[in-house]
Amino acid sequence: MASGGGNGRPMPAPRTGKPLLAPKPHPPFQQGAAAAAAAAHLLGPQGGNLTEARAKTVLKEAVDAVVNSFAKHTHGYGRVNVVEALQEFWQMKLERGADLKNGALVVYKSEPASSPPYVCYVTLPGGSCFGSFQNCSTKAEARRSAAKIALMNSVFNEHPSRKITDDFIDKAIRDALASFKGSQSDIENPSTGIGAFKFMLEANRGRTMLEFQELMTVFQLLHWNGSLKAMRERSCSRQEVLAHYSHRALDDDMRSQMALDWIAREQEDCSIIPRELKISEKELESARLAGRELRFYKEKRDILVLALSQIGPSESMA
C-alpha cells in the first residue's frame, strides 16, 4: 500500500478536476503539462525499459518544456528566471485562495560541499521536496536545477488529471484489489490494507497528488521506523492510527522521537544507524537524479543523521 515505504506501488493518475493556472487552458501550458505527463509515464515503472541516458534526456526535455510554457503563459516569450518563476507560481496560488498554512515561501537548502558537483534541495509550501537532477558545477546552477524540477511538478500538479476524484478512487481501489488479490469484503473493512487505502483516499477527495503525497510521507516514515508495527502490537486499530496521523504534521517532535527509536536500536545492534544511513543516502541520490519527489527519502536521511549526532564517538564505532 501507499504507506508501506518508498518502494510501494505508485498510484494511478486521477482524471478530473480544474486547473488553477487559468480559467481557459493556454496552449503552451497544455503542451508543458503534456510533456510532464509523458515524462511521468516514461520514467515510471512502466518505462523500465528506458536506458539511464534516455531517461535523463526525457526528463530534461519535459522539464524544459514546462518551464518554457510557464514563461510564455505568464510573461510572454523570452528567458525565464526559474527561481523567481517558482516563487511567483506559489504566490499566485496563495492569492487565488490555496490553503497554504505556512504561506507561499519556497525554501532552498544546499548540501555542504567544497567542490562540484553541487546539490540543492527545494521544499515547496506544502512540504513536497525536489532536488537538483543534473550534474551542477556551481551552487547557483544547482539551485536553478532544483527550481526547474519543482516548477515542472508544481505546474503539472494543477492539471485536471492530478485531482483525487470519485472516478480516481474507484479505479485506484480496483487496481489495488487486482494487484493484491483482495476481495470485495476488504474494501469496506478498515482493518485491511485495501480498506485503509480507501479510507485515506476518501479523506483526501478533492486534493491533488502532491498534497496526497505530502500526507502519505508521514505514514511511509511511520512504517519505515517500525512505529506502525508497534501500534498494532498495542492493539491500535488501523483506522485509529490513520485518523490520528492524518491530522498530524511532520514536525521536529516526530523526527526527534524517530531518532530516539534508532538510537535504541543502535544499542542492540551496533552500527545499524551507519548501515541504514548509507542505504538512505543511496536512495536519496537515486531518486534525486531521477527527478522524483524526495521528502520521504530526505526525511529518512535527516532522521538518521540526527540520531547519529546524538551518539557518542565510542558508541558509534563499528
Side-chain angles (χ1 to χ4, degrees):
M1 306 313 302
S3 61
N7 297 321
R9 183 175 176 273
M11 294 175 58
R15 297 186 177 182
T16 62
K18 186 175 181 180
L20 288 177
L21 275 181
K24 295 180 180 179
H26 192 279
F29 166 70
Q30 290 179 321
Q31 292 166 8
H41 176 78
L42 288 170
L43 296 169
Q46 61 269 58
N49 293 329
L50 282 180
T51 64
E52 183 178 352
R54 176 56 182 156
K56 289 182 177 179
T57 299
V58 170
L59 177 61
K60 184 178 184 304
E61 290 173 352
V63 170
D64 289 343
V66 175
V67 169
N68 291 335
S69 70
F70 182 76
K72 295 169 189 175
H73 183 63
T74 56
H75 299 290
Y77 290 82
R79 187 174 178 83
V80 60
N81 182 321
V82 70
V83 174
E84 291 181 1
L86 179 61
Q87 184 60 65
E88 180 183 346
F89 176 91
W90 284 94
Q91 189 63 43
M92 186 166 58
K93 278 179 64 68
L94 182 64
E95 292 170 356
R96 295 187 180 189
D99 182 17
L100 303 177
K101 295 180 175 61
N102 298 315
L105 184 63
V106 173
V107 178
Y108 294 86
K109 183 176 182 181
S110 296
E111 290 281 88
S114 57
S115 61
Y118 293 100
V119 174
C120 182
Y121 296 100
V122 56
T123 301
L124 301 179
S128 294
C129 178
F130 297 91
S132 47
F133 65 99
Q134 297 158 299
N135 195 334
C136 300
S137 58
T138 68
K139 292 182 179 179
E141 184 183 351
R143 176 178 283 225
R144 289 193 296 270
S145 180
K148 279 184 180 181
I149 193 70
L151 181 60
M152 183 190 85
N153 280 275
S154 297
V155 171
F156 184 42
N157 196 53
E158 303 302 329
H159 192 273
S161 69
R162 304 297 288 173
K163 286 279 188 179
I164 296 178
T165 64
D166 289 338
D167 286 344
F168 163 71
I169 293 173
D170 290 343
K171 184 179 186 306
I173 295 302
R174 289 198 304 272
D175 289 346
L177 279 174
S179 297
F180 295 95
K181 297 181 173 57
S183 65
Q184 287 293 325
S185 61
D186 292 335
I187 297 176
E188 302 303 329
N189 184 354
S191 66
T192 67
I194 291 175
F197 185 43
K198 181 187 178 191
F199 175 87
M200 291 298 299
L201 288 172
E202 290 180 339
N204 288 275
R205 187 184 282 107
R207 293 191 178 189
T208 64
M209 291 302 292
L210 269 187
E211 290 171 325
F212 184 64
Q213 179 58 45
E214 288 158 8
L215 173 65
M216 293 312 298
T217 297
V218 174
F219 290 97
Q220 287 177 300
L221 287 169
L222 290 170
H223 174 81
W224 163 74
N225 190 59
S227 303
L228 292 180
K229 180 180 179 182
M231 284 183 273
R232 284 198 301 272
E233 290 172 352
R234 293 198 298 268
S235 300
C236 295
S237 73
R238 197 179 302 233
Q239 191 170 23
E240 288 173 335
V241 173
L242 291 173
H244 175 73
Y245 281 101
S246 294
H247 304 286
R248 175 83 186 271
L250 180 54
D251 54 19
D252 288 342
D253 287 343
M254 190 182 295
R255 295 184 188 98
S256 296
Q257 183 57 57
M258 290 187 183
L260 289 173
D261 291 339
W262 282 98
I263 291 172
R265 292 187 184 105
E266 181 73 18
Q267 293 171 348
E268 298 176 0
D269 183 357
C270 184
S271 295
I272 189 174
I273 294 178
R275 292 198 304 270
E276 189 72 19
L277 180 58
K278 187 175 181 179
I279 294 170
S280 295
E281 287 176 336
K282 287 183 178 179
E283 290 175 343
L284 176 60
E285 181 182 28
S286 176
R288 176 178 61 80
L289 294 175
R292 295 169 63 185
E293 202 281 324
L294 302 175
R295 193 176 187 194
F296 169 61
Y297 304 101
K298 190 170 181 299
E299 291 283 358
K300 225 176 25 164
R301 193 274 308 267
D302 291 350
I303 288 166
L304 292 166
V305 168
L306 176 61
L308 199 59
S309 72
Q310 301 300 312
I311 298 175
S314 61
E315 296 174 87
S316 60
M317 291 183 65

